Amino acid sequence: MPHALLASANEASKPIWLVTEQTWPDIAGQLPPLAQGFAKAQGFAGKTGSHCLLPDANGDLLGVAFGINGTDAKQSDPFLPGKLSTLLPEGAYRFETEAPNPTLATLAWLLGTYSFGRYRKRSEKAVRLVVPNGVDAEDVSRIANAVVASRDLVNTPTNDLGPDGIEAAARQLAERHGASFTSIVDDDLLKQNFPMIHAVGRASITPPRLIDFTWGEPDAPRVTLIGKGVAFDTGGLDIKPASSMLLMRKDMGGAAATLALADMIMGARLPVRLRVLIPAVENAISSNAFRPGDILPSRKGISVEIGNTDAEGRLILADALSLADEESPDLIVDFATLTGAARVALGPELPPFYTDDDALAADIARHGLAVNDPVWRLPLWYPYQSQLDSKFADMNNTGGPMGGSITAALFLRRFVETAKAYVHFDIFAWNNATKPGRPEGGEVQAARLMYALLKERYGA
């Protein structure tokens, strides 16, 4: 069903003129003199991001003028028109002049209205947009609903969303789409050979688990999604400073992105055999916490020396990757809030991704730009793999002091051998400041681009 903030074409609506500083004089000249004079008095000239509510002769709202980037702008945000959903009074509106990208403008309209209201009442305005011509309202609504649901997960603190809460959210999604769901919990992880997931999560009062659900026809192309589900990360015995823990409820952002993408895939009924794996743990501190210097077995049989207990995400992902790789899927995708080094390299808005598949990398970059879900390829630079060497085990879980996102990706790559293609996204899962379509708080990164890629690759 279309999103509640979308209106039908036959509904009474107010026009929105999307203008630039170059086009505004011509459009202004077509408006009634009162509206022209009011805009002039307000100093509106079509500057990017500015808006002006234009009155009619009765003092009611005639329409809205909004400044967007010109065609020669070096920086252009296709989400910019979505800013209006947070600025306008209640009512229905339509784009009187076409948005540069109507689909992304519509999506940003829906995503920009998001606020997290679990713990306090949020103010909601019924600011609705007539679906522009050529926009698939069902698909845009599907994407927006999936992103909003996963933003809620990232924003929920760990006292209400531990590993069991992540499982509950995944189970609810799987049941809604008719997927087959299982979960391996606590000591059963050891019995079924997931020793690193167990080791990382065993110190928490809430037991660790591996969430596993499948959907689609068994003979369809096999796509496996893996999400890092660390409900909270203290750093373990290598404890983080207090300032670094403030946002650690978002350390399950990879799981949230995975669930968002799975929701889009199943909702669109893409012809794939989907598998979702989420190792869900809390990296806590207790007498039975794993320690620096411990040597852990892994599902794949690779022994891992613990150089730092705060590099726990790659450990739980490694066991999940090994399981995924055992059935040689066509594609494995993992999402993880894995390293601060990725943020140092590229900042919070541009997650790096890693793959050996050049064609897949080109498709990812292309779709990231096309759907305004940007990412940037960094290399799997194999000479750095020596930084993961251990004197006592097959490998260490930490590399050297530099290139930390790359060495983390190289660590994960060791656990994938038979999959036809593999990509790792090192995401931030958070907006530090509000921008059009992207309110401050939990965010879903890289899922929308992968949905677009899978739609193109496998067909709806």
Side-chain angles (χ1 to χ4, degrees), residues 234 239-246:
T234 64
I239 190 169
K240 295 177 183 288
S243 60
S244 297
M245 287 194 218
L246 289 175

Side-chain angles (χ1 to χ4, degrees), residues 165-233:
I166 297 172
E167 178 183 336
R171 185 185 297 273
Q172 183 180 41
L173 177 66
E175 290 176 351
R176 176 155 59 87
H177 291 288
S180 175
F181 186 96
T182 61
S183 180
I184 305 169
V185 182
D186 204 6
D187 288 346
D188 284 343
L189 290 165
L190 294 177
K191 295 175 183 177
Q192 299 191 42
N193 194 23
F194 299 100
M196 292 205 293
I197 298 174
H198 183 272
V200 171
R202 70 192 182 203
S204 172
I205 193 171
T206 306
R209 62 206 63 213
L210 177 62
I211 298 158
D212 184 353
F213 67 84
T214 58
W215 174 91
E217 297 299 326
D219 57 349
R222 292 175 176 253
V223 175
T224 300
L225 311 179
I226 301 174
K228 175 187 170 184
V230 178
F232 192 86
D233 182 18

Side-chain angles (χ1 to χ4, degrees), residues 363-434:
D363 283 345
I364 288 171
R366 175 169 55 87
H367 283 290
L369 289 176
V371 303
N372 200 29
D373 193 8
V375 292
W376 198 264
R377 188 184 189 185
L378 290 184
L380 282 163
W381 188 248
Y382 286 97
Y384 286 174
Q385 192 151 301
S386 61
Q387 296 184 33
L388 297 168
D389 288 348
S390 166
K391 294 180 180 179
F392 306 104
D394 293 322
M395 62 192 308
N396 200 294
N397 76 322
T398 56
M402 293 184 286
S405 182
I406 296 174
T407 54
L410 288 170
F411 180 94
L412 297 178
R413 189 67 182 85
R414 286 282 300 272
F415 295 86
V416 179
E417 288 185 331
T418 69
K420 295 177 183 175
Y422 166 57
V423 59
H424 158 61
F425 290 96
D426 191 342
I427 64 174
F428 187 54
W430 194 265
N431 296 319
N432 285 327
T434 295

